[in-house]
Amino acid sequence: MYVKNKTEYMRSAGWEVYVFSGLEGTVMLGGLMKYKDMIIPELDCYPDMISDRKKKQIIKLMMNIIDVSAPTEETIIIESNTLHMSCWAEMLAEKLRAKHYMFLLDEHFNYGEEYYDFIEFKYKRSETAVIKGDYIRALLKNRVKVDDPSRWQLNAFCTNVVEDIKDERFDHIGHDEFDCILCSLGRLNKSYIPNVAEGFEKFAAGNPDKKICCVFIGDQPVGYTPDMNKLIERKLSGLKNVTLLMMGYVYPIPESFLRQTDVAVAVSGSASVLWSYGVKTITMDVSDNQPIGVLGYTTKNNLNRDGETVCSLDIWLERIVNKNYLSDYIFEPKKMTDASKWFEKHMEFAEKSCREKEYYNMYGVRTRTFKKRLKKILICIFGVGGSHRIVSSFKNLFDR
């Protein structure tokens, strides 16, 4: 959703925009449909998993799609949103003599040691941004002293996902049928999701007299392991007083459903969506995967706790649903910000970064571990999709 909003902003400002991705599947956002032919599966891997010959072919393919020769007098800015995509973006930027900055949308950074020098190189050039300032320290593995983390923070506008529409999948959900409607909003491959399933399970088991509807909006990438859909179903589908609805990816989200939701669980942008609609939203700490508090009531933090007491999800649900706990608090609505102001700061960030054109040699990064070398061989033989399926089948032998 952030990428869709960013492309619309850039086009409105007169830029030509191209969106490359490695994630295969159905394109659900209409604004991104025009880029479906720019999905290149190899981009879902770090480049060191791909042969040098194939890397050069992929870079040439992207240049042909953009239809810009190198070098060029045109102003070209490349933004990358994940660590593996930033590696590809650096190679493309070097060919086009373009400005490349990383705006990483993740909360966790798991990468091989062979990529640290590249990340530090981009940091020293002021070409690295994160969604929360403190994350820059984690990205750099705390090896570099960062005096002002807020300097490296940008905002990702992605909360405009709700519309006043009819959706037959949600039409039958209401308080006339259930005593309590609980919702989890966000991708299922987030690390806190198992705790959500367990929290819903414990709350439902402790309230057998209540008819509870548990709604999960979101899914996980193709080939991701473990299968969170099965884990959630294993936890909740056997409870007699629970109706479990696995909605998968939903866009747009019907406003009428949010108005009927008793309690929701989410983090980051998804949590902000719920907060802006006045939904009682328990936000989770992305470091320890435990609840922080209720947005607008007991906390304003939607990524990490700042002194809030740790308390399990089922206890929070018990407090909110059965004990009227939040009546002691005054709700503070979510402050809405003009998205264009955020995107202007993105452009300022790129403008303030190092002006000298210099690029990291991504071809010099080599796979170091046996597991990665084996995976590279599998990709060469079976392709990215086939290798992912094999890796998923032998999860204990590989690092995904």
Side-chain angles (χ1 to χ4, degrees):
M1 193 63 196
Y2 158 73
V3 173
K4 172 182 177 291
N5 292 331
K6 184 68 177 283
T7 60
E8 290 174 352
Y9 169 81
M10 297 302 291
R11 285 199 299 267
S12 70
W15 291 74
E16 267 189 85
V17 183
Y18 300 84
V19 178
F20 291 96
S21 174
L23 291 175
E24 298 181 274
T26 303
V27 180
M28 295 187 65
L29 304 184
L32 297 179
M33 191 67 72
K34 65 180 71 177
Y35 305 113
K36 63 181 174 139
D37 293 333
M38 299 180 201
I39 296 174
I40 303 172
E42 287 83 359
L43 299 182
D44 198 30
C45 299
Y46 280 96
D48 67 316
M49 293 287 99
I50 308 298
S51 69
D52 285 352
R53 178 173 172 272
K54 185 66 175 178
K55 283 199 281 275
K56 291 175 181 177
Q57 289 176 348
I58 291 169
I59 297 300
K60 185 176 180 180
L61 173 61
M62 289 194 282
M63 291 176 67
N64 289 339
I65 291 172
I66 299 171
D67 194 24
V68 174
S69 300
T72 176
E73 296 302 316
E74 294 188 74
T75 299
I76 302 177
I77 297 178
I78 303 175
E79 175 186 321
S80 56
N81 300 134
T82 65
L83 282 173
H84 60 273
M85 286 293 283
S86 69
C87 300
W88 290 102
E90 188 76 358
M91 290 190 289
L92 181 61
E94 182 175 16
K95 275 290 187 182
L96 298 176
R97 306 301 292 170
K99 164 62 64 179
H100 164 223
Y101 76 97
M102 304 156 58
F103 177 28
L104 302 176
L105 304 179
D106 293 322
E107 298 100 14
H108 301 286
F109 308 107
N110 298 313
Y111 62 88
E113 185 65 24
E114 61 268 30
Y115 284 99
Y116 178 81
D117 288 345
F118 164 60
I119 292 167
E120 186 175 23
F121 170 81
K122 298 299 284 185
Y123 168 76
K124 288 180 177 178
R125 288 178 52 83
S126 298
E127 292 176 331
T128 306
V130 288
I131 58 174
K132 186 177 180 181
D134 287 343
Y135 290 177
I136 193 70
R137 292 185 173 122
L139 177 64
L140 293 165
K141 298 182 183 289
N142 292 309
R143 297 181 189 177
V144 177
K145 183 180 180 181
V146 182
D147 294 323
D148 182 16
S150 63
R151 174 189 168 190
W152 311 96
Q153 178 175 319
L154 294 177
N155 289 309
F157 179 68
C158 56
T159 57
N160 54 327
V161 295
V162 179
E163 289 185 19
D164 184 13
I165 61 161
K166 296 287 287 182
D167 187 326
E168 62 183 14
R169 293 173 295 176
F170 293 85
D171 287 347
H172 67 286
I173 306 174
H175 285 115
D176 55 341
E177 185 178 351
F178 300 102
D179 298 306
C180 181
I181 299 174
L182 307 179
C183 175
S184 169
L185 178 60
R187 298 199 310 276
L188 297 186
N189 57 310
K190 295 282 188 177
S191 59
Y192 69 88
I193 290 294
N195 285 349
V196 175
E198 182 177 344
F200 284 4
E201 178 192 32
K202 286 184 176 180
F203 174 73
N207 291 273
D209 57 321
K210 287 188 179 295
K211 195 173 182 183
I212 301 170
C213 183
C214 295
V215 183
F216 284 79
I217 298 177
D219 211 327
Q220 61 190 34
V222 175
Y224 179 86
T225 55
D227 190 328
M228 297 309 301
N229 285 280
K230 289 183 178 178
L231 183 147
I232 293 166
E233 290 170 0
R234 191 165 61 247
K235 288 277 188 183
L236 296 168
S237 60
L239 297 173
K240 293 182 179 180
N241 62 327
V242 170
T243 295
L244 175 62
L245 299 176
M246 304 294 293
M247 296 300 195
Y249 294 119
V250 175
Y251 177 80
I253 299 168
E255 181 179 345
S256 57
F257 168 71
L258 295 187
R259 300 296 184 195
Q260 296 187 97
T261 301
D262 291 286
V263 186
V265 184
V267 302
S268 192
S270 297
S272 294
V273 171
L274 296 161
W275 183 7
S276 66
Y277 279 85
V279 181
K280 295 182 178 67
T281 305
I282 300 171
T283 182
M284 307 289 282
D285 188 302
V286 297
S287 296
D288 63 20
N289 299 315
Q290 296 296 331
I292 299 172
V294 185
L295 283 172
Y297 289 93
T298 70
T299 187
K300 295 179 183 177
N301 298 315
N302 63 3
L303 281 169
N304 298 101
R305 72 181 72 259
D306 184 18
E308 293 92 344
T309 303
V310 178
C311 186
S312 64
L313 180 57
D314 59 299
I315 292 178
W316 269 111
L317 293 172
E318 188 69 28
R319 287 173 173 176
I320 298 168
V321 176
N322 293 332
K323 297 184 178 178
N324 204 24
Y325 178 81
L326 297 181
S327 63
D328 293 334
Y329 294 85
I330 297 174
F331 176 67
E332 186 173 339
K334 169 70 176 173
K335 292 181 180 178
M336 304 306 291
T337 305
D338 181 0
S340 64
K341 299 295 182 184
W342 287 356
F343 292 138
E344 287 169 10
K345 290 186 181 297
H346 291 197
M347 304 307 291
E348 291 172 8
F349 183 89
E351 184 68 26
K352 290 178 181 177
S353 61
C354 185
R355 305 295 295 171
E356 181 183 353
K357 290 184 177 180
E358 188 178 0
Y359 306 94
Y360 192 86
N361 177 23
M362 299 309 306
Y363 288 95
V365 178
R366 295 298 177 187
T367 301
R368 295 184 179 182
T369 68
F370 169 76
K371 294 176 183 178
K372 287 186 177 180
R373 288 198 296 271
L374 181 55
K375 186 177 178 182
K376 183 173 182 177
I377 293 171
L378 292 175
I379 290 174
C380 182
I381 298 173
F382 300 103
V384 175
S387 71
H388 280 351
R389 286 189 290 273
I390 294 171
V391 168
S392 298
S393 299
F394 299 94
K395 180 66 176 174
N396 294 332
L397 296 179
F398 299 92
D399 291 323
R400 177 69 193 276

